[in-house]
């Protein structure tokens, strides 16, 4: 049994990690914004992590927060203060949930040996968080999942609708159609939040002397147009709704994306993408009616 401090316990990934770790008998202390607000580094400077043996950070930068004025404080300055407190408390391992987007274009074969090439603010800030952890000298694991899916705890407070696993079902229920901004030939790997939690549990259990990187892959890799069709099919089966798909034709002469093969050294994590889509569509439909 390990005493673990957890940042981001209220998010989809954080909730899954907390559930998994507590089911294994670990003692988990959730670090809410009341005790450590990463966007306000001064609030983290006096953080008491005494008694914790490990730290898991599942509250990193999001696509939405990457565009705010406090993004750098969240990803870098505040995180550095937390790591300083972790070092002072003698914490011996850290797990940071990053993103596969640090690799850049999601095409071809991507494994842990693929060089990072962060191209968006979101990816660049995650990579900064990784490097600040590396510089701290505290051993542990950086997890790089691809597109994560899992039911939010409260739809009314959920704010991650820009993410494909959530945005497509929301469009289907709200508008009766899914509109793609491109031809939808680009591919993405989809991994369940429970799979990320499994990877976090494995990382906490590993005793190591350095910082390593582990991809977290799911067993579903789909093009955006195929994912849209899968959402439409789930809506038909679950809600009896016919969802229109608005998919632009590929521009003549545009090179086709390379097929994606997102590889994890630990193998792909099991997950039920169809069950998630059905649950998500039902929840959205119920919310719309209320």
């Amino acid at each position: 049994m390990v005493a673990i401090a957890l940042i981001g316990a209220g998010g989809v990934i954080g909730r899954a990690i907390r559930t998994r770790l507590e089911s294994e008998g670990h003692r988990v202390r959730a670090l809410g914004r009341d005790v450590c607000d990463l966007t306000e580094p001064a609030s983290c400077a006096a953080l008491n992590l005494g008694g914790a043996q490990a730290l898991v950070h599942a509250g990193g930068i999001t696509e939405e927060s990457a565009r705010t004025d406090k993004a750098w404080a969240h990803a870098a300055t505040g995180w550095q203060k937390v790591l300083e407190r972790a070092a002072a408390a003698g914490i011996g391992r850290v797990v940071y949930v990053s993103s596969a987007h640090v690799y850049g274009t999601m095409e071809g074969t991507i494994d842990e040996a693929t060089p990072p090439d962060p191209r968006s603010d979101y990816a660049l800030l995650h990579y900064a968080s990784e490097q600040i952890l590396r510089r701290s000298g505290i051993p542990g694991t950086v997890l790089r999942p691809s597109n994560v899916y899992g039911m939010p705890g409260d739809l009314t407070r959920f704010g991650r609708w820009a993410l494909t696993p959530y945005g497509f079902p929301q469009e289907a229920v709200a508008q009766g159609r899914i509109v793609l901004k491109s031809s939808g030939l680009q591919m993405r790997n989809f991994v369940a939040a429970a799979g990320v939690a499994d990877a976090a549990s494995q990382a906490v259990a590993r005793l190591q002397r350095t910082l390593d990187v582990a991809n977290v892959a799911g067993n579903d890799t789909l093009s955006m147009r195929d994912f849209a069709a899968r959402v439409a099919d789930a809506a038909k089966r679950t809600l009896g709704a016919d969802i229109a798909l608005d998919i632009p034709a590929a521009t003549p002469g545009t090179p086709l994306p390379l097929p994606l093969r997102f590889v994890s050294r630990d193998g792909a994590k099991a997950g039920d993408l169809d069950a998630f889509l059905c649950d998500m569509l039902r929840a959205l439909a119920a919310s719309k009616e209320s």
Side-chain angles (χ1 to χ4, degrees), residues 159-177:
R160 308 297 312 281
W161 300 109
L163 299 180
T164 299
Y166 304 99
F168 281 20
Q170 184 190 46
E171 280 190 61
V173 172
Q175 303 173 20
R177 66 190 307 110

Side-chain angles (χ1 to χ4, degrees), residues 78-123:
W79 177 223
Q80 181 170 313
K81 292 295 182 185
V82 171
L83 290 172
E84 289 171 359
R85 300 306 301 160
I91 286 178
R93 68 197 95 161
V94 175
V95 179
Y96 175 64
V97 182
S98 183
S99 168
H101 286 279
V102 302
Y103 291 117
T105 303
M106 298 297 289
E107 294 183 21
T109 298
I110 297 175
D111 59 21
E112 287 88 352
T114 301
D117 182 22
R119 300 188 179 191
S120 65
D121 288 345
Y122 167 72

Side-chain angles (χ1 to χ4, degrees), residues 167-234:
F168 281 20
Q170 184 190 46
E171 280 190 61
V173 172
Q175 303 173 20
R177 66 190 307 110
I178 299 172
V179 181
L180 272 64
K181 297 178 181 178
S182 69
S183 60
L185 296 175
Q186 66 273 32
M187 301 182 74
R188 295 290 182 268
N189 178 263
F190 296 88
V191 61
V196 183
D198 179 62
S201 171
Q202 292 175 351
V204 166
R206 280 195 292 264
L207 294 176
Q208 51 199 57
R209 297 181 179 180
T210 59
L211 184 71
D212 71 347
V213 172
N215 291 343
V216 189
N219 52 10
D220 292 284
T221 298
L222 302 168
S223 70
M224 289 295 94
R225 60 169 58 203
D226 286 343
F227 182 76
R230 201 147 167 178
V231 174
D233 181 65

